[in-house]
Amino acid sequence: MKTAAIIVAAGSGQRAGGELPKQLVPLGGKPMLSWSLDVFLGHAQISETVLVVPALEIERYGKAFPSATTLVAGGDTRAASVKAGLRAIRDSGAGDLATHVLIHDAARPGLTDGIIDRLLEALSRADGVAPALPVVDALKRASRDTLQNIDRSDLWRVQTPQGFALDLIEQALDASDDSVVDDLAAVKQIGGRLSLVDGSESLSKVTYPEDFKRIEAMIAGNTTVRMGTGFDVHAFEPGDGVILCGVIIPHDAKLQGHSDADVAWHALTDSILGALASGDIGDHFPPSDPKWAGAASEVFLRKAVALTAERGFGISNCDLTIICEAPKVKPHREAMRAKTADILGISIDQVSIKATTTEGLGFTGRREGIAAQAAVVLSKLLR
């Protein structure tokens, strides 16, 4: 089963209050949207992830979430946004391979691998599936002067992601109008077979300001956190520029090293390996091995990121400090942050890059080279 995913994040989130749309509000150290996006991107059976965002803010979301497979403008209603996401799957060519799709709301950040696994298993027997929880509270219908009991024995709180055969959900939404309650209702209208799987309280929807702390306690409190640090030094040698975080910065010297000598990404790679207790960069890429001569440090960093995913962790944030008298780092800092975020598969606001001097002291103060130190936090959701 080849499955694509759509995250609907095109709403304004006005009921949640605040200046930011709720999908961008920090939750447990990262934007709320990142929680669902990271799980989809890390799941082996999800072949593509489409992010449906406000039409006027595609560039903003693209910079914040560079790891998303595809970004597309949403519509005026949720149904219209889902249709836009489905068209994007087809337009990208993934629809020629994907047989099924999971459609998820960004306002439900408590997604886990286990929920995805249950949905995919149920899709082998049904046309449409969704996670759900039974209604446990007493229900009353209030009129002007009376309360009427409502039988809750067969009532369920339906959540997302909702999963469907790709062809069927396209057919169902084309046959319905934009007033359908959810995608399950559209499939029901054309006679589809529906099924529910066990949901989770962590998948509750964030709607009002008070919901943030409640959901954050559920999902961030279910997280194992690891922290790692890294440090690296490279001396100058004759040349015309240095490479820092994958960005070439003109200078009257270059950095000496077996690889491209990107001292910042070397420190960051070591910090990730340290958090994983997986040795250091020299263990994985020995300088004595000629195959790494002149290698781009992107290779080293991508390896560390791959190991992170294999261990079931995600990168919550990183902080790099570059120590040198010259060249000036600040004019290139945003490009460095963007490249780093892209390699790590996180949003740019999870990447901090700073520069400082040693006030003329030591080898960096004597302009003999550059030092860098890095710190990273990895989070592992307990599935």
Side-chain angles (χ1 to χ4, degrees):
M1 182 185 295
K2 295 289 187 179
T3 306
I6 296 172
I7 302 178
V8 181
S12 62
Q14 292 179 341
R15 285 181 292 177
E19 298 180 0
L20 289 173
K22 64 183 176 184
Q23 54 265 34
L24 298 182
V25 172
L27 197 71
K30 59 185 180 180
M32 181 166 66
L33 175 55
S34 291
W35 287 92
S36 299
L37 181 60
D38 290 349
V39 174
F40 278 131
L41 291 174
H43 197 284
Q45 289 184 263
I46 302 301
S47 58
E48 177 177 11
T49 303
V50 174
L51 198 51
V52 185
V53 303
L56 299 179
E57 299 197 60
I58 289 183
E59 183 177 355
R60 176 186 186 183
Y61 279 77
K63 291 179 178 178
F65 304 98
S67 57
T69 310
T70 304
L71 270 80
V72 63
D76 294 332
T77 64
R78 186 186 183 282
S81 293
V82 171
K83 290 178 182 178
L86 292 169
R87 286 194 298 271
I89 292 173
R90 292 296 188 189
D91 292 344
S92 70
D96 297 332
L97 300 174
T99 57
H100 293 76
V101 62
L102 298 183
I103 303 170
H104 187 49
D105 293 330
R108 297 182 184 271
L111 183 62
T112 67
D113 286 341
I115 291 168
I116 293 175
D117 292 341
R118 291 197 289 274
L119 290 168
L120 296 182
E121 195 277 332
L123 274 174
S124 65
R125 305 183 305 275
D127 299 317
V129 299
L133 293 174
V135 174
V136 296
D137 296 317
L139 294 177
K140 307 283 186 180
R141 178 177 287 114
S143 60
R144 190 179 312 175
D145 55 1
T146 187
L147 290 176
Q148 180 183 357
N149 292 328
I150 303 297
D151 182 8
R152 66 176 188 269
S153 60
D154 58 353
L155 296 181
W156 295 81
R157 296 160 48 199
V158 178
Q159 303 172 318
T160 70
Q162 297 180 2
F164 308 93
L166 183 58
D167 291 342
L168 190 68
I169 186 60
E170 290 174 324
Q171 177 187 344
L173 290 178
D174 285 343
S176 67
D177 58 41
D178 286 351
S179 65
V180 291
V181 175
D182 63 5
D183 305 310
L184 280 183
V187 171
K188 180 65 175 176
Q189 286 179 352
I190 64 170
R193 299 167 300 146
L194 305 181
S195 178
L196 299 177
V197 303
D198 290 340
S200 170
E201 285 293 346
S202 67
L203 270 181
S204 299
K205 189 175 182 180
V206 174
T207 302
Y208 300 105
E210 59 269 24
D211 294 334
F212 285 97
K213 287 186 177 180
R214 177 174 58 87
I215 300 299
E216 184 175 45
M218 281 192 281
I219 62 176
N222 192 34
T223 302
T224 297
V225 175
R226 286 192 174 193
M227 186 258 192
T229 63
F231 181 81
D232 196 32
V233 173
H234 282 274
F236 284 131
E237 66 179 10
D240 57 5
V242 301
I243 299 174
L244 295 175
C245 294
V247 175
I248 299 174
I249 300 176
H251 189 48
D252 57 8
K254 69 176 185 177
L255 290 174
Q256 186 181 91
H258 186 63
S259 65
D260 65 1
D262 189 332
V263 63
W265 274 359
H266 289 183
L268 180 56
T269 300
D270 260 353
S271 71
I272 297 172
L273 294 174
L276 294 172
S278 293
D280 59 32
I281 195 170
D283 294 326
H284 295 268
F285 306 96
S288 57
D289 190 338
K291 71 184 289 186
W292 305 121
S297 295
E298 175 179 335
V299 174
F300 309 154
L301 187 55
R302 286 193 183 277
K303 174 65 173 180
V305 173
L307 287 174
T308 301
E310 288 174 12
R311 303 282 181 85
F313 285 88
I315 298 173
S316 292
N317 71 292
C318 68
D319 183 21
L320 291 96
T321 302
I322 298 167
I323 306 163
C324 62
E325 299 292 329
K328 294 293 185 183
V329 171
K330 188 173 182 179
H332 309 279
R333 185 168 59 190
E334 293 310 301
M336 293 161 62
R337 292 178 70 207
K339 278 186 171 288
T340 301
D342 184 50
I343 301 297
L344 298 183
I346 59 179
S347 63
I348 196 169
D349 64 359
Q350 294 166 264
V351 177
S352 169
I353 295 178
K354 311 184 299 294
T356 189
T357 71
T358 54
E359 303 292 339
L361 301 175
F363 85 96
T364 58
R366 294 190 298 270
R367 300 175 182 251
E368 295 173 358
I370 297 179
Q373 60 186 30
V376 68
V377 174
L378 308 183
S379 300
K380 182 175 185 177
L381 290 178
L382 303 178
R383 304 304 185 192

